[in-house]
């Protein structure tokens, strides 16, 4: 098992895609929170915890989307270039290979979420400091939401891995990820009523304690249900990969 994890981790960190996704997530998070702040007159003041800002929800969406795409690419990249053949030859049962990918997806998503956190902090505190505004740091109150955001990234990455294993093709997987996170959950929220709380995006809002107008579940319950979503998607991908011929 450790050999599978090590092999998958080497694949991840030796490709430019991982660094591109991580850097883009951090830069976009910084841009979003600064954009929200820029709507106010200067000097800009920071007097509330980071997770209570209007941009925090978009930071959560950013982490969800980029983590989902990261997880999917762990499978679709290998399928596209044919290296999945060698991966499954080394792991004939295929279970250890997918488990190793899941652990790697979790680690990669944690790094990507951390980059987004750093970007959000820089985009908040740097402009305030440069404009001469008042800054009241409340890092202690941001610890739990920050850990929740990392957990959200991990769950979405494992869901993405399951999606990649199901779809196999890179483009449909990426399009599906974008449509679900940015479009479908918003459409579903218009007619599902309170049941919308159980969609992955709303669960992520609760876990990361993001400001939202709609109803959300508590962080603990949300984390458990997100983990269930992740496990279900992984199991669906695993069940198909076990029965499917190597492409």
């Amino acid at each position: 098992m450790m050999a599978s994890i090590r092999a998958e981790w080497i694949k991840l960190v030796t490709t430019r895609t991982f660094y591109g996704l991580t850097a883009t997530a951090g830069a976009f998070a910084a841009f979003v929170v600064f954009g929200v702040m820029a709507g106010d007159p200067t000097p800009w003041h920071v007097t509330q915890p980071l997770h209570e800002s209007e941009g925090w929800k978009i930071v959560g969406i950013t982490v969800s989307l980029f983590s989902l795409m990261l997880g999917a690419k762990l499978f679709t990249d290998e399928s596209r270039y044919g290296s999945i053949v060698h991966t499954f030859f080394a792991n004939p049962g295929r279970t250890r290979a997918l488990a190793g990918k899941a652990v790697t997806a979790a680690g990669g998503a944690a790094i990507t979420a951390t980059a987004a956190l750093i970007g959000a902090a820089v985009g908040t505190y740097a402009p305030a400091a440069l404009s001469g505004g008042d800054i009241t740091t409340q890092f202690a109150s941001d610890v739990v939401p920050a850990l929740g955001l990392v957990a959200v990234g991990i769950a979405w990455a494992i869901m993405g891995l399951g999606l990649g294993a199901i779809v196999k093709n890179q483009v449909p997987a990426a399009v599906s990820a974008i449509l679900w996170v940015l479009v479908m959950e918003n459409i579903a929220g218009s007619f599902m009523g309170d049941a919308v709380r159980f969609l992955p995006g709303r669960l992520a809002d609760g876990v990361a304690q993001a400001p939202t107008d709609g109803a959300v579940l508590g962080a603990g319950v949300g984390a458990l249900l997100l983990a269930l979503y992740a496990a279900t998607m992984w199991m669906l991908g695993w069940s198909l990969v076990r029965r499917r011929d190597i492409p």
Side-chain angles (χ1 to χ4, degrees):
M1 183 62 196
M2 291 304 298
S4 294
I5 295 173
R6 184 165 55 251
E8 295 300 332
W9 185 255
I10 290 172
K11 294 174 193 175
L12 177 68
V13 300
T14 53
T15 57
R16 288 175 292 182
T17 302
F18 169 60
Y19 299 103
L21 286 172
T22 299
T24 304
F28 188 74
F31 175 78
V32 164
V33 295
F34 172 68
V36 172
M37 181 183 293
D40 298 326
T42 57
W44 296 306
H45 305 290
V46 180
T47 58
Q48 62 183 358
L50 189 61
H51 75 276
E52 293 181 4
S53 68
E54 295 179 22
W56 184 253
K57 178 177 175 62
I58 305 178
V59 173
I61 293 172
T62 301
V63 169
S64 299
L65 177 59
F66 280 81
S67 297
L68 186 63
M69 294 177 67
L70 174 66
K73 285 180 68 64
L74 282 174
F75 194 95
T76 58
D77 277 357
E78 285 213 75
S79 181
R80 177 184 179 186
Y81 294 109
S83 58
I84 196 70
V85 175
H86 305 287
T87 297
F88 287 160
F89 278 171
N91 297 276
R94 305 185 184 181
T95 301
R96 281 187 300 168
L98 285 180
K101 286 183 181 295
V103 174
T104 300
I111 294 172
T112 300
T114 301
L117 283 169
I118 294 171
V122 170
T124 299
Y125 293 110
L130 292 173
S131 69
D134 297 327
I135 298 177
T136 303
T137 57
Q138 301 183 45
F139 294 130
S141 60
D142 281 325
V143 170
V144 173
L147 292 174
L149 190 66
V150 173
V152 164
I154 291 172
W156 278 100
I158 296 175
M159 282 189 270
L161 174 61
L163 173 65
I166 293 168
V167 177
K168 293 194 302 180
N169 190 285
Q170 195 171 65
V171 174
V175 171
S176 298
I178 294 170
L179 285 177
W180 179 261
V181 174
L182 300 182
V183 180
M184 296 305 296
E185 288 217 10
N186 291 322
I187 293 175
S190 64
F191 62 84
M192 287 184 63
D194 286 345
V196 74
R197 296 177 298 168
F198 298 97
L199 291 177
R202 286 300 180 92
L203 293 174
D205 288 342
V207 174
Q209 298 183 27
T212 180
D213 295 332
V216 296
L217 297 175
V221 176
L224 287 174
L225 291 178
L226 267 183
L228 182 60
Y229 270 115
T232 300
M233 284 295 293
W234 185 90
M235 289 294 293
L236 285 173
W238 170 81
S239 64
L240 286 175
V241 167
R242 290 268 294 176
R243 299 195 304 266
R244 205 160 48 194
D245 288 337
I246 298 176

